[in-house]
Amino acid sequence: MKTYAYGYPRLGPNREFKTAVEKYFSDKIDDKQLTRALSERQEHMTSIYASTIDLYPAGEISPYDHFLDEACVLGWVKPKNFHEYYALTRGEKAFPLKKWFNTNYHYLTVPVKYPSNKKNTLPGFLSDIKEPSKELTWMLGPLTMSKLARKKDGLHVENIIDGLTDLYKFRCKNLKTVHIEEPAFVMDLSEKERQASYRFYEKLGKLVDICLITYYDDVDHLECLYDLPVKAIGIDFVHGRENIKTIGKKGFPSDKILVAGVVSGKNVFCVNPERIFPLIDMLRKHSKGLMLSNAGPLYHLPETTANENLPLELKERILFAGEKIAEIASLAKGETLYKTKDMRAGKKRRRSNIVYRVNSLTVKDFRKKVSYRKRILRQKMLLKLPDLPTTTIGSFPQTNEVRAMRSLLRRGDISREKYHGYIHGRIRANIVKQENLGLDVLVHGEPERTDMVEYFAGKLEGFFTSEHGWVVSYGTRAWRPPIVTGDIYRAEPMTVDDISYAQSLTKRPVKGMLTGPITIMAWSFVREDLSPEEVAYQLALTLQDEIRDYERKGIRIVQVDEPAIRERAPIKTREWGRYFDWAVKAFNLATNTSPDTQIHVHMCYSDFAQIIKFILKMDFDVITIESARNGLDMLKVFCNAGFYRQIGLGVWDIHSPRVPEVNDMKMLIRKCTETLGLKHVWVNPDCGLKTRGWKEVNASLANMVEAVKQFKMEQNMKGDRCRR
Ligand code: GLN
Ligand code: ZN
C-alpha cells in the first residue's frame, strides 16, 4: 500500500517559523532573509515527507495564512511583497480572523472579488518560497474559498465558483497533477453549491490530474464525487463515520485512487489496531488503488514528541505530526508503531472515584432545585448590588514583570513561597485598584494564569501538559494544547486560595473564576476511548467541587468562562442538537451548587443568533458577552428569543487600545436598559483585559464607571422610564 500526507505544520520543532516572521516584523531581518527562512521551512517539511511518504503536495508553506495565500492567487488581494502582504494580516487594515471549521486555527476572512480575474498568478514573493512544482501543487479549491471568504449580500457561492473556473484552468495550464483541498465539501451545502462545484471539477478534471482532498467530517452525497473526472479522492474516515458506511454500501470507483484518511490530524493519540486494521481491510476490498493518509491536515498538531518528557505509559500513545507521518507509513506495511493500551483498564481508573460519580449521575444532577426567578430574589437580598452593577471579565494586564516572575519560578530561581507572595501582592493591588475605581463586583485579576485552559490542565490529574507542543492558532501565534490522557479529577483545590485571599481584602463580592468544561475540552487534545460527553462530565464534577469549596469560603459569585461552546459544535448543524444537549448538561452540572451562589457565564463573541436556543437551556444567572462592535444586533437576538435572565453586554471593545468614550458607553447602556429593563443589565468590558496595558485599562474602567453614574443620574431626573 502507498501513502499520502499533507498539511505538515510550518511552525518547526523549535518554532523557527515564528522566530523568523517576528524578526521580520521587528525589522531584524529583511525580505531576502525572510524568503530564505521560509524556504527552509518548506524544505524541512518536504524532507520529512520525502523520507517516509510516497505522495505529498508541494508548496504548502505560507508566510502567515494559507487562506490569504490562495486569495492572492485568485487575485482577491494583490500584495506585491511581504510588507504589503503582512499589512493585510496585522494592524489597522488587517482582515478579521475567523475559526477555520471546528478547529482552533483562525484564517483571515478575505473578501471575494467578483467578478474574478481570468488570469492571475502567484506573486513573486510567494512563488519564491513555495518551491513551485509540476507535481502535486497544493491548492485550496473554489468551493472552500468561496464558502469561507467574506461576501457581499446577494453574491452566491455558486456564482463565485462558476466565475473562478477560467482562473483555475489558467493556474493549472502547465501542471501535471494538483492537490486540491476542499474541506468545504463536508459543510452543509445547498444543491446549487454542490452542482456548481461538480461543474467546476468536470471542467478542470479534463485539463489536469486532480487529487481532490476532503476532511474533517462526512461528505454528504459522497457518491456524486465518484462521477467527477478526478484522479484521487481524499476521504476522512476518522471524523466521518458516515463516509465508512457509504464506502461499505456503494463501494469506490475502480478508476480512482482512494486517499484514505485513517490517522487523525486533529488529535494526538495513536490508532487503535483493533479498529484500524479491519477498516483498512474493508477499504482495500473496495479500492485497488488505496493510499493511506492523514485525516485532516497535520498542522493542528505540534511537530514532534522527540523533546518531550513523556512518562513511559504515554510514550507509546501520544504522537505529534512527525510521529503521525511514521504511523501512516507503518500502517501501510500492516504494522502499528505503537502498542495501544485501553486507558480504561489502567490501575488509576479502577481507583478513581470520578468514574463512579459520572456513572451515578441522574437527571437531578443536571437541574438546579431552585428556579432562576426564585434564585434571583434570594441573590438580590444576599448580594445587595446596585442597579446596573459594574464588573470586569477576569484578567488584568499581564505585565512583563508577571511573566518574568513566572519564568524565574519555572527555572527554579525563586522559591514557590516567594512566587506565591508575589502573586498575592498582585491580587492585593488589583483589589485596591478596583475599589478605588468604584467597581461593584471585583475579580482577583488572574495574575497566576498563563492561559485559561493550560492553567487548569496543569492543576488537574488526568492531563499531560507538554513543554514544546506548540500549535499555531493564527499567524505566528502559537499555543500549547494540554492532553487529556486519563480520568480527570482534582487532587486539591485549584483556585480557591487566590480567590478567597482576594475576598478577604474587600467587603465587595469577588467573583470566583473558572474555565468551563467545554472550553477546556475544545482547547485540549481529548482522549478518544471515552465519549466526549463522559470527559465533559468528569470535568464538570471537578469544577462543581471547586465551586463548593468557594462557597465554604464565602464566595458568592462565580464566573464560568465558556467561549468555546460554539466553536466546538460539529460542522454539520444537524448534529448540533446532540452536541449541545451534553454541552449544556455539562455546564449545568458544573454549576449545580447552592442556589444562593450567583452563576455568571462568559462567552466572548459566539454567533449568538445561531445558538441562542441552546443558550436558553443553560441555567446561569448572568451572561456576559462580547458586543461592543455589534451590541444592538446582539440585543435583538436575546430579546427576540425571550431571554429573561441578566446580561452584561460588553460596552468596551477590548481588542483595540482605544479608550472608550463615556457617551458611547452610555448609549449602549441606554439601549440595553430600554430593551431588557434596568434590573436585567450589567455593565462590563467585552472580555478579559490580559492583552491590554494598564494605562488604557485604568482610563477605560474609570470611563465605564462614570458612564453608569451619569446614566443613573439622568435616569433619576427623568424618573426611570425603563421598561420591566
Ligand atoms: N476570564 C478570562 C479572562 O478574563 C476570560 C477570557 C475569555 O473568555 N477568552 O481572561
Ligand atoms: Zn471573552
Side-chain angles (χ1 to χ4, degrees), residues 388 390-391 439 627-628 631-632 649-654 658-673 681-686 696-712 714:
L388 300 177
T390 50
T391 190
L439 289 158
S627 62
L632 302 184
L649 284 134
V651 293
W652 154 26
D653 174 10
I654 61 95
R658 207 180 72 96
V659 174
E661 305 274 339
V662 172
N663 275 338
D664 292 348
M665 290 195 273
K666 224 161 52 180
M667 205 210 17
L668 200 55
I669 296 170
R670 180 169 311 116
K671 295 270 185 224
C672 281
T673 53
V681 177
W682 284 65
V683 179
N684 48 265
D686 261 353
E696 328 136 36
V697 165
N698 287 334
S700 305
L701 285 176
N703 281 1
M704 188 179 96
V705 173
E706 178 62 24
V708 174
K709 200 166 127 201
Q710 287 187 13
F711 176 79
K712 282 186 184 166
E714 290 163 17

Side-chain angles (χ1 to χ4, degrees), residues 623-658:
I623 185 169
T624 54
I625 62 170
E626 185 173 319
S627 62
R629 285 194 238 182
N630 58 354
L632 302 184
D633 296 344
M634 286 299 107
L635 209 54
K636 255 194 230 141
V637 168
F638 278 81
C639 224
N640 292 345
F643 180 81
Y644 57 87
R645 300 170 201 246
Q646 300 162 75
I647 186 167
L649 284 134
V651 293
W652 154 26
D653 174 10
I654 61 95
H655 299 292
S656 132
R658 207 180 72 96

Side-chain angles (χ1 to χ4, degrees), residues 393 563 602-605 626 686-688:
I393 302 305
H602 171 67
M603 292 185 63
C604 299
Y605 173 73
E626 185 173 319
D686 261 353
C687 194

Side-chain angles (χ1 to χ4, degrees), residues 1 262-263 269-278 280 292 315-317 319 323-341:
M1 248 180 301
V262 291
V263 166
F269 298 99
C270 62
V271 294
N272 177 349
E274 283 164 30
R275 219 169 320 121
I276 199 80
F277 288 117
I280 294 175
L292 296 188
K315 273 214 167 99
E316 300 188 326
R317 274 177 35 207
L319 325 179
E323 293 79 30
K324 292 266 178 179
I325 293 267
E327 184 175 52
I328 296 170
S330 77
L331 287 175
K333 288 190 220 121
E335 296 158 12
T336 47
L337 263 190
Y338 307 90
K339 281 183 257 141
T340 34
K341 280 188 224 116

Side-chain angles (χ1 to χ4, degrees), residues 392-396 398 443 445-446 449 451-452 513-515 519 523 559-564 602-605 626 655 686-691:
T392 60
I393 302 305
S395 58
F396 279 130
Q398 291 253 334
V443 296
E446 305 179 22
R449 303 185 190 180
D451 167 292
M452 62 190 287
M513 196 54 66
L514 300 170
T515 303
T519 298
W523 295 346
Q559 177 179 309
V560 177
D561 293 324
E562 278 292 26
H602 171 67
M603 292 185 63
C604 299
Y605 173 73
E626 185 173 319
H655 299 292
D686 261 353
C687 194
L689 304 170
K690 184 162 59 193
T691 54

